[in-house]
Amino acid sequence: MDAKDILGLPKNSFPSSADKKPRPPKESQRKPDGISREVYALTGRMPPLMPSIDASQLKKKHPPHEKITWQWLPFTNSARKDDLHLYHWVRVVNGVPPTGDYSFAKYNKSVDIIKYTDEEYEKHLTDPMWTKEETNELFDLCGRFDLRFVVIADRFPSSRTVEELKDRYYSVSQAILIARAASSGDVATHPLIKEPYNVSQEMERKRALSMVLSQTRQQERKDEEVLVEAKRIAELRMASKVTEQPQLVVASNADAEVTERAVPGETISPSNVQPPSMVVPSATDNASTLASLRMLRVYLRTYALDQMVQASNSSAGLRTIKRVEQTLQDLGVNLKPRVPTKAVCAEHLELRREILTWLNLQKQVQYKEAEGSSFRDGSYGETPGTPKLLRGADQDRTFIPDSMNFGVSSERVGKKDQKRKAHGGPPTSAHKRPRKQKASDL
Amino acid sequence: MTNSSSSKKHGQDQSELSGPTSKSQRTKMGKSEDNDKKNSGKKLKDVEISVPIVYGNMAFWLGKKASEYQSHKWTVYVRGASNEDLGVIIKRVVFQLHSSFNNPTRVVDAPPFELSEAGWGEFEIAITLHFHSDVCDKPLNLYHHLKLYPEDENSSMSTKKPVVVEFYDEVVFPDPSEAFLARVQNHPAVNFPRLPAGHTLPPPIPVEDANRRRKGDTKDNPLSQWFLSFSEADELLQLAAARQQVQAHIAKVKRQISLIEGQHKQLKSSSDQ
């Protein structure tokens, strides 16, 4: 505020919404407690999220009333199966050695391998591909190597793939579980039952992975290109589908998102996809928009008008829409009515439609006139109405080749209301490069 | 507000009592799709009811009393377009202010639905209209950008004359329930539709006494002298004039086209020789 005073600038220009209430006193004015300013700046001027270690903790003094000694004592490890006694230094407090198991024993975890009896094998587990010995061997290795199948596959006497081994192990375990369970419901939640091992899928997956791994760089590039192409085509197809279908906008009024802040009332615009060459008859669009409006429980008149305008604009290209808006302005009509009552909105829509009709008719005139001149040129053997020329018609000017016959002139088609000159007028030609006319201009 | 029943015009399918200040003849145009619907005698199809509202804000500069963080006193509100009581339709209005305000979610439970505050900044206010249960169970959102400073930067701010920004809109209920229609039958705040022939509504349940009801309208509101007026007549005239012009242009161009086509025929026949 004071700076503006000094500079003599008006005080009014407060920025909108950015910071509303009293801005917190500048950060540089605030002195952080406990750490120096530079360090505070390093952390981004914010107090750290995690409480750092309290430095005073580090210099903890020993409680003086405790007497600490260190002794060389024997210990055992419950994780070991033998009865090995080893020695190590132990911190003894007041003559009392610590109790409890060896502190690392708890890390001795192992997998529970299912053990089956011969009976169970005969009943449930026989398999044409596997002998009993092999299965026994497999399970033994699984137990020894904690289900590390890569290692097991290595040590397996007959050469079997990892997938085969896994398959055998999991299907045996599954069969045993089901056989031993009182009812099928009991084991239904067991991970082995819930997610069975799928051999073919696994093999396919690994094959795919190895393929990806072994791809050369060139292949990678080619794949990317193909994907990009596919995406583009898919998007085009989606776009054409969107305009073919009626634009059903079922808006949830409660959670409407604002697309334009300046517009009062809610506006939800459907995806603004302008497809390159889709001409949808406006009648269906309007009917479907009305239908979707009726599905809403409540809506604002301005919203409804907006939807209808979009529906009628959907069949026109961007340039045409701009022309419609320009025409509205020229006629002194608000682009968005100031008093949008039902009648006003209806009138507004009709006006827009009529302007569209007018613009389309104007284009027709230009077309016809271009046709006409090519008819005349046709008598000289040139192909009448060369498609390229017609297509090259600009919105407001057509490029007509000079023709030298009969003194008939090629004429320059002027803007909207210019009357066509009769024969014998001065030859004029718009030597502008013909722009390719997009279908969206229709 | 006098009921303009004399000027009621029977349009194609729906006619409405005019809400805003002008008593223009309402003619139905354009929306002929309602006639296409099969009137199979189902319950109240093609009957829409609308409520014309005006929402916006008014801001007074505090002048000498202005501080750095409170330079203006402003009021944001939703009112009936003809200052009638909206409480018959709206149960409560929630104004969501900028987060720097205390309790930025302000609920106004009774008409007049307005909220006053003091501040310095302009921001977007989300206004949510909650309707009575028989009207609509879904709330409706409006968004209004609070305006404190006059458009013209050079004009001086006065403490006596506020900056006013208002927007006219209509809340449309495309499929109202019978109960709703019955309740608001003769209420001036509502654009009541024309009911299908022979359809009668139960008489309205006696509402709270007139005194209580009157308080909800904004006719005697202290701010009402600054309310803007919205006349659809002007806009209709403007649109009608524009349409006439365009129709004239269309006719002219059509004549041009037929002229050219005639010439083409001549050329074709001559070149075919």
Side-chain angles (χ1 to χ4, degrees):
Chain A
M1 287 288 265
D2 311 314
K4 288 213 168 144
D5 248 345
I6 296 169
L7 293 171
L9 287 176
K11 284 189 189 176
N12 297 356
S13 38
F14 284 111
S16 63
S17 61
D19 24 301
K20 183 55 190 75
K21 265 303 184 177
R23 198 180 290 164
K26 293 256 161 143
E27 275 123 5
S28 56
Q29 294 169 3
R30 199 163 22 139
K31 267 185 261 186
D33 268 342
I35 57 179
S36 71
R37 195 167 41 96
E38 286 87 357
V39 176
Y40 194 62
L42 279 177
T43 63
R45 289 176 183 267
M46 288 258 291
L49 292 171
M50 291 284 293
S52 50
I53 302 172
D54 188 8
S56 54
Q57 280 283 331
L58 295 172
K59 281 209 173 160
K60 196 165 61 170
K61 295 228 165 84
H62 291 292
H65 48 270
E66 280 182 1
K67 182 168 167 236
I68 310 285
T69 53
W70 284 87
Q71 293 179 15
W72 182 251
L73 293 176
F75 70 97
T76 52
N77 185 350
S78 63
R80 295 192 67 94
K81 294 198 192 63
D82 51 23
D83 207 16
L84 180 64
H85 289 263
L86 293 174
Y87 288 79
H88 64 186
W89 286 107
V90 175
R91 185 172 181 267
V92 176
V93 184
N94 286 342
V96 178
T99 51
D101 196 7
Y102 182 53
S103 59
F104 295 103
K106 60 183 184 270
Y107 298 114
N108 187 35
K109 301 243 192 243
S110 62
V111 187
D112 297 323
I113 307 285
I114 294 188
K115 293 215 164 29
Y116 50 82
T117 63
D118 288 341
E119 236 185 72
E120 286 176 318
Y121 188 89
E122 303 300 315
K123 255 211 267 186
H124 310 284
L125 306 174
T126 49
D127 188 295
M129 303 275 291
W130 284 79
T131 67
K132 189 163 179 208
E133 289 80 21
E134 281 195 308
T135 315
N136 288 344
E137 180 73 29
L138 169 63
F139 270 74
D140 178 49
L141 284 172
C142 285
R144 272 167 60 195
F145 293 112
D146 298 322
L147 287 187
R148 283 175 288 168
F149 281 99
V150 183
V151 179
I152 294 170
D154 235 8
R155 285 168 206 244
F156 205 72
S158 54
S159 63
R160 296 253 189 188
T161 65
V162 173
E163 288 80 33
E164 283 177 21
L165 296 172
K166 279 194 187 176
D167 188 31
R168 180 61 178 156
Y169 171 79
Y170 287 123
S171 41
V172 164
S173 310
Q174 230 183 9
I176 296 283
L177 273 177
I178 295 177
R180 288 187 191 165
S183 71
S184 59
D186 285 345
V187 280
T189 51
H190 195 279
L192 273 175
I193 312 284
K194 218 165 38 155
E195 286 150 40
Y197 182 70
N198 189 338
V199 193
S200 44
Q201 194 185 50
E202 284 295 298
M203 292 184 54
E204 192 51 42
R205 179 180 70 89
K206 292 194 183 170
R207 191 181 68 83
L209 275 175
S210 60
M211 271 181 58
V212 173
L213 184 63
S214 54
Q215 254 186 359
T216 63
R217 207 166 289 167
Q218 238 196 6
Q219 269 180 313
E220 261 179 51
R221 258 184 268 136
K222 275 200 212 145
D223 281 348
E224 263 188 57
E225 285 173 24
V226 170
L227 280 172
V228 166
E229 262 303 309
K231 197 172 163 204
R232 218 170 37 80
I233 296 175
E235 272 174 14
L236 278 178
R237 254 192 235 144
M238 276 294 296
S240 52
K241 246 195 231 166
V242 163
T243 48
E244 269 178 13
Q245 288 174 7
Q247 291 177 6
L248 276 177
V249 180
V250 184
S252 89
N253 290 343
D255 306 319
E257 279 180 18
V258 182
T259 49
E260 303 166 59
R261 280 163 158 228
V263 177
E266 52 177 15
T267 56
I268 302 174
S269 51
S271 62
N272 281 327
V273 178
Q274 289 278 359
S277 57
M278 267 298 173
V279 181
V280 185
S282 55
T284 29
D285 257 357
N286 290 342
S288 59
T289 315
L290 285 163
S292 65
L293 282 172
R294 221 168 277 137
M295 301 233 286
L296 299 171
R297 311 260 187 87
V298 61
Y299 57 85
L300 282 171
R301 187 77 69 192
T302 46
Y303 170 75
L305 177 63
D306 213 53
Q307 294 294 111
M308 296 293 287
V309 166
Q310 280 191 8
S312 69
N313 279 350
S314 64
S315 58
L318 191 57
R319 213 185 299 152
T320 318
I321 297 173
K322 289 254 159 25
R323 287 183 72 192
V324 169
E325 297 185 345
Q326 183 61 49
T327 316
L328 280 170
Q329 281 183 345
D330 294 339
L331 290 165
V333 170
N334 299 322
L335 280 178
K336 287 192 193 275
R338 188 168 167 265
V339 189
T341 66
K342 189 166 183 156
V344 166
C345 290
E347 283 284 297
H348 188 94
L349 268 173
E350 280 305 304
L351 178 60
R352 277 189 182 248
R353 288 187 194 134
E354 284 170 357
I355 294 178
L356 266 176
T357 311
W358 180 28
L359 292 178
N360 286 335
L361 284 174
Q362 282 179 9
K363 280 196 202 117
Q364 268 196 36
V365 169
Q366 289 170 4
Y367 260 20
K368 299 272 178 192
E369 296 194 309
E371 263 182 9
S373 57
S374 58
F375 273 155
R376 276 176 278 122
D377 304 337
S379 55
Y380 247 60
E382 281 178 60
T383 1
T386 2
K388 242 203 295 187
L389 279 179
L390 278 183
R391 285 240 215 92
D394 196 347
Q395 287 243 343
D396 295 321
R397 284 176 279 259
T398 51
F399 175 66
I400 304 160
D402 272 326
S403 55
M404 275 100 32
N405 45 342
F406 306 124
V408 170
S409 51
S410 56
E411 311 204 346
R412 183 195 203 204
V413 179
K415 294 203 183 196
K416 306 171 189 173
D417 292 319
Q418 246 187 23
K419 288 224 183 271
R420 270 182 87 235
K421 296 205 190 112
H423 293 221
T428 54
S429 49
H431 278 300
K432 280 234 152 116
R433 217 160 212 285
R435 245 183 305 126
K436 241 178 70 150
Q437 177 151 30
K438 300 179 207 144
S440 62
D441 286 349
L442 282 172
Chain B
M1 187 193 92
T2 55
N3 257 344
S4 51
S5 45
S6 52
S7 61
K8 192 156 62 165
K9 173 123 179 173
H10 295 286
Q12 285 179 359
D13 42 350
Q14 296 173 28
S15 74
E16 300 148 41
L17 296 171
S18 54
T21 45
S22 73
K23 288 159 197 148
S24 58
Q25 306 262 346
R26 292 221 187 197
T27 51
K28 274 302 313 307
M29 296 181 76
K31 302 232 169 124
S32 56
E33 77 293 346
D34 290 335
N35 276 338
D36 297 340
K37 289 226 144 204
K38 303 163 224 149
N39 259 328
S40 53
K42 275 211 187 140
K43 179 187 155 220
L44 290 172
K45 276 231 160 171
D46 310 333
V47 166
E48 91 173 19
I49 194 168
S50 63
V51 184
I53 58 168
V54 172
Y55 64 93
N57 78 272
M58 213 173 275
F60 286 90
W61 184 47
L62 291 174
K64 278 188 290 193
K65 299 192 206 141
S67 71
E68 190 173 343
Y69 296 112
Q70 295 205 344
S71 58
H72 286 73
K73 186 167 181 325
W74 50 264
T75 308
V76 62
Y77 53 84
V78 180
R79 65 175 173 91
S82 47
N83 291 319
E84 292 295 338
D85 179 12
L86 289 179
V88 67
I89 295 113
I90 300 180
K91 186 164 64 175
R92 65 172 188 277
V93 177
V94 179
F95 296 94
Q96 184 70 33
L97 305 180
H98 191 271
S99 48
S100 56
F101 280 92
N102 283 336
N103 304 324
T105 312
R106 306 284 173 92
V107 180
V108 181
D109 283 314
F113 298 109
E114 59 185 35
L115 174 75
S116 298
E117 258 290 352
W120 61 268
E122 301 180 337
F123 54 91
E124 185 179 79
I125 301 179
I127 307 174
T128 312
L129 307 177
H130 294 263
F131 306 102
H132 291 291
S133 42
D134 62 342
V135 172
C136 179
D137 51 2
K138 266 197 165 169
L140 185 63
N141 286 330
L142 306 167
Y143 299 92
H144 175 67
H145 188 86
L146 183 72
K147 194 120 179 57
L148 303 179
Y149 302 98
E151 271 297 319
D152 181 10
E153 283 203 3
N154 294 325
S155 66
S156 55
M157 301 197 281
S158 105
T159 52
K160 304 251 168 53
K161 192 155 173 285
V163 169
V164 183
V165 174
E166 286 187 335
F167 294 99
Y168 174 97
D169 212 325
E170 295 186 343
V171 181
V172 182
F173 302 97
D175 191 16
S177 68
E178 288 241 15
F180 176 28
L181 287 170
R183 185 162 66 83
V184 301
Q185 274 182 67
N186 295 317
H187 200 282
V190 166
N191 286 341
F192 202 78
R194 180 164 166 234
L195 300 174
H199 192 106
T200 48
L201 286 174
I205 308 159
V207 200
E208 331 88 48
D209 63 311
N211 278 340
R212 219 182 120 203
R213 189 152 61 118
R214 183 111 25 99
K215 278 214 212 101
D217 69 32
T218 41
K219 292 189 189 146
D220 304 321
N221 195 294
L223 300 175
S224 60
Q225 57 176 309
W226 306 110
F227 287 162
L228 302 177
S229 68
F230 293 91
S231 147
E232 72 162 346
D234 293 337
E235 197 125 28
L236 280 176
L237 275 173
Q238 207 184 41
L239 288 169
R243 283 188 70 184
Q244 268 197 341
Q245 278 196 34
V246 174
Q247 282 160 5
H249 283 300
I250 288 179
K252 195 155 74 159
V253 177
K254 280 192 175 155
R255 279 199 299 275
Q256 254 189 320
I257 290 181
S258 50
L259 188 66
I260 296 173
E261 281 177 345
Q263 286 178 338
H264 283 183
K265 282 213 187 95
Q266 279 188 356
L267 285 172
K268 258 208 130 160
S269 54
S270 64
S271 67
D272 282 347
Q273 285 165 2

